[in-house]
Amino acid sequence: VSALAGAIRWAPDGHAAELLDQTLLPEAEVWLRIETADAMAEAIAALRVRGAPAIGIAAAMAVALAAKRHVAEPADRFRAGVEHAAQRLVGTRPTAVNLAWAVDRMLAAMRAAPATIEPAVLAARLHEEASAILEEDRLMCRRIGEHGVTLFPAEPVSVLTHCNAGALATGGIGTALAPIYIAHERGRRVRVFADETRPLLQGSRLTTWELQRAGVDVTVVPDSVAALLLRDARVHMVLVGADRIAANGDVANKVGTYGLAVLARHHGVPFYVAAPTSTIDVRSASGRDIAIEERDADEVRRGFGRLTAPPAASVYAPAFDVTPAELITAIVTDRGILHPPYGGSIRQSLSA
Ligand code: MRU
């Protein structure tokens, strides 16, 4: 049994993207065919595809799909059509910087092309650029895994994770889950505790699904159990992904991550973050500069269709929180393991 190889790909005919609808997991495995940038924007907003690297890949593919759609138009209308789609995509989710990063990279590829280039040639180039973003992400996941696995103590290693930072969230074997998959591949004994991750249950629905499918020993726990696991020394480390890493090492990730970091510090357990270089945003000086998404209150009031609070209850439910750099033991990237002080280690890793 092996890890899922990502949940987003080109359709064999190259005219559409295909993605595994994550809102339906674990009940049903349905691959969607996405033919337009608008359909992809809907899929990103509805979390059919989610996780920082995966939404970057999805948005890049959507820009390429917009180019295909406008290919028969004059060059200026073609470019305007692509720019318009890019704008719409960037507005879908604000926190994960990979989305804006990927769209910027697609637009830069378009703007770098000479004005005389045929739309059809440029559209083909944009398809290639999106494919490159997907392939690079796959490789970055492997490298994160290779670096991360060196942090694992003697087996059997027991890891607590939050949300889903696995194959479903990337173009490869994940970020936080990559070292786990690599250790498992090498026959090492690994045990994972997956926080269920309220309110949308990415941990119990997605992380548990993909680890179990790959044959990794995984136990789902309600979020509120984490304190006990840490107190009782039942986990060697906390390992999570990131939606955006600021220049000073503050990390935005799924809400609840900050609380885990505080708990880990209190109990003397290392707290690691794993993310590709594309998640580092040096334009955010610190966590205070990161926009935190708030989703529809009904995701809390009507959890999966049932009333889970009075219908008119007032709800405060940011989708992400920021873990201050001082609580993070190390950050695992595709370029290596970054240690505090992060201002310097991040700068150095990006310039290498
Ligand atoms: O709202 P989501 O499901 O997109 O949130 C995802 C997370 O917070 C992940 O931990 C993060 O994107 C890292 S994914 C490799």
Side-chain angles (χ1 to χ4, degrees), residues 101-233:
W101 170 87
V103 169
D104 281 351
R105 182 165 151 179
M106 294 296 288
L107 290 179
M110 181 170 81
R111 291 172 190 152
T116 51
I117 197 169
E118 288 286 325
V121 176
L122 191 44
R125 205 173 274 183
L126 291 174
H127 180 104
E128 289 314 310
E129 192 69 14
S131 302
I133 289 173
L134 171 61
E135 176 58 11
E136 287 166 26
D137 189 70
R138 192 181 68 76
L139 294 173
M140 286 197 285
C141 288
R142 277 254 139 213
R143 286 190 211 112
I144 290 168
E146 297 284 352
H147 291 299
V149 79
T150 65
L151 297 169
F152 285 6
E155 53 197 79
V157 59
S158 176
V159 181
L160 172 62
T161 190
H162 190 68
C163 195
N164 173 268
L168 289 167
T170 63
I173 57 170
T175 57
L177 299 194
I180 292 164
Y181 282 125
I182 288 189
H184 180 70
E185 242 172 62
R186 294 181 182 160
R188 292 181 60 179
R189 282 191 298 147
V190 198
R191 172 161 207 205
V192 180
F193 286 96
D195 266 356
E196 64 175 354
T197 315
R198 292 276 303 140
L200 296 180
L201 308 183
Q202 288 92 331
S204 55
R205 292 189 305 107
L206 308 177
T207 298
T208 308
W209 177 81
E210 66 164 89
L211 288 175
Q212 201 174 59
R213 186 180 176 281
V216 177
D217 177 358
V218 54
T219 302
V220 60
V221 288
D223 296 337
S224 38
V225 171
L228 298 181
L229 289 176
L230 290 160
R231 185 199 65 186
D232 297 344

